[in-house]
Amino acid sequence: MPRSAAGATARDDSGIHALSPDGRPDPVAPGGKLASQVALRIENEIIRRGWPVGTVLGSEQDLRERYGVSRAVLREAVRLVEHHQVARMRRGPNGGLLVCVPDAAPATHALVIYLEYIGTSVDDLMYARLLLEPLAARLAAERISEEGIDRVRRALAEERERRDEPGIFAQDVMHVLLGEESGNSALYLFIDVLTRLTARYAHTTRRIPKDEVAKGKDEAHAAHMTIADAVVAGDAGRAESATTEHLESVSEWLLAHRSRRAGRTVSSAARTPEEPGAKLAEVVAARIRDEIARRGWPIGQVLGSEADMLARHGVSRAVLREAVRLLEYHSVAVMRRGPGGGLVVTEPEPSASIEAMALYLDYRGVTSEDLRVVRDAIELGALGLVMERRDGTEVAARLEPVIEQGEAAAADTSVPSVADRFHTELADRSGNPVLGLFLRILTELWARHRVNSPTAPQPGPAGAAEAAGVHRRILQAIVDGDEGVARHRMRRHLEALTAWYH
């Protein structure tokens, strides 16, 4: 859930949106830093203007006057916007805050490590992959172009050439490519996260004989060829079933070879890759995150003083301090001043990455149909896990207050985000942290898009009351243990929600 921030245009911990000056809900929350509020207003302006990449939004002085803040507050807001890869401050003549093409890589890395930190199991990981990747293969088979066919075949050829490289899952590039060829940016982004996490988990496996590794690579390559043949031929059903069969095999391999070490401990090989073109501060922040992960995330431990960190990473003070700001933004570590101070490990949380990924997906122009397809897969998958637990009483105890809040707020324009809480709470009840995290990205995207779309109609009191009623009927089906009816009601409800996303 996004961090709260101060001011009348803020979003609080309940997820309720307050009103902006034009009367529309604005996702910034009471009680937080002014810089966070200003950053969100800048981002919302970029979304409303349709992501005008290359446009200068104004000089530092222009922006200070527009938002009525000090130089220090504006510069902190700009840092947050730059962390989200939305815009950057260009210095010199004709300089100013320049809208840029967002990059999801830093947020992706942070989410992968966060999922690892909270103890995401192999079962959790592969359940999510089985929900999303067969769907991506089906869509790729339906949509692939001549250029896409060439990319798939080049990837297979490169995979054969890389057979002797270390790492059993070095070939996961094919899975990410099929996510891209699906034409659905949300699927592509989520599959990228999942394959990165799979690769990190694979590095914690026990030692495996070389001939067994080679056999595993050959089997994976053969499976990729079967999937690729089906995609190229446009056989969506065969592409989907072949992907499912392959992922089940990957799951069996991981479970059979998984080390008994704690889930938070990462081997030295499981290092975050350094993206081409990444800023030096981002590279240093990634290295420090990996060091913390390798140490088993020792919360409260001091990694070293500023002088120690400068010597260790061989960078300037300015670069190190920018890296520390990134770590602090993702709640990975904080620099404590004074005697006995230094860079202190903190408990990570994903709000900053959720916001960055939602912004990236908005830039990529995720359509209502893209959103519906992915939400269907995630929410129906979460519902299935909830039903497996057969504890309707516990689920009702958690969801009933959320439904009551929606009913009580039916006359308030902030209801859409209240309604989102039913879905995110239900995903949390599934016990699969991947599904809950991905759903939060989608609901954050939905909230930002609704706020910034000038033509998007608001559901109003009647729509809010109807949503609360549907939530109550879904919950009743769960309590009754009637999965078929619960799935039917959820699917119809998601179709109705998607109609409001334009």
Side-chain angles (χ1 to χ4, degrees), residues 170-233:
Q171 298 151 309
D172 265 348
V173 64
M174 178 60 68
H175 294 260
V176 179
L177 178 58
L178 291 178
E180 186 174 11
E181 293 302 325
S182 75
N184 187 313
S185 298
L187 273 178
Y188 169 57
L189 189 63
F190 292 164
I191 290 170
D192 187 26
V193 170
L194 294 172
T195 54
R196 288 172 188 262
L197 188 56
T198 302
R200 290 178 73 91
Y201 276 22
H203 278 301
T204 65
T205 57
R206 58 179 172 77
R207 286 189 172 275
I208 307 166
K210 288 185 178 180
D211 59 343
E212 190 174 342
V213 171
K215 178 182 176 183
K217 288 185 176 183
D218 289 341
E219 290 175 351
H221 182 66
H224 291 167
M225 289 183 65
T226 299
I227 295 165
D229 286 345
V231 168
V232 169

Side-chain angles (χ1 to χ4, degrees), residues 381-445:
L383 181 61
L385 291 176
V386 169
M387 299 301 296
E388 282 182 14
R389 293 188 165 201
R390 299 184 182 278
D391 193 351
T393 302
E394 180 187 344
V395 174
R398 291 298 298 266
L399 294 182
E400 187 66 37
V402 177
I403 295 173
E404 290 174 355
Q405 184 182 11
E407 291 170 336
D412 192 329
T413 55
S414 65
V415 162
S417 56
V418 175
D420 285 342
R421 285 196 60 211
F422 173 85
H423 296 270
T424 55
E425 286 284 353
L426 184 61
D428 287 344
R429 291 301 91 205
S430 75
N432 187 314
V434 179
L435 302 187
L437 193 60
F438 285 177
L439 186 57
R440 278 178 167 77
I441 293 170
L442 296 178
T443 53
E444 173 69 11
L445 167 65

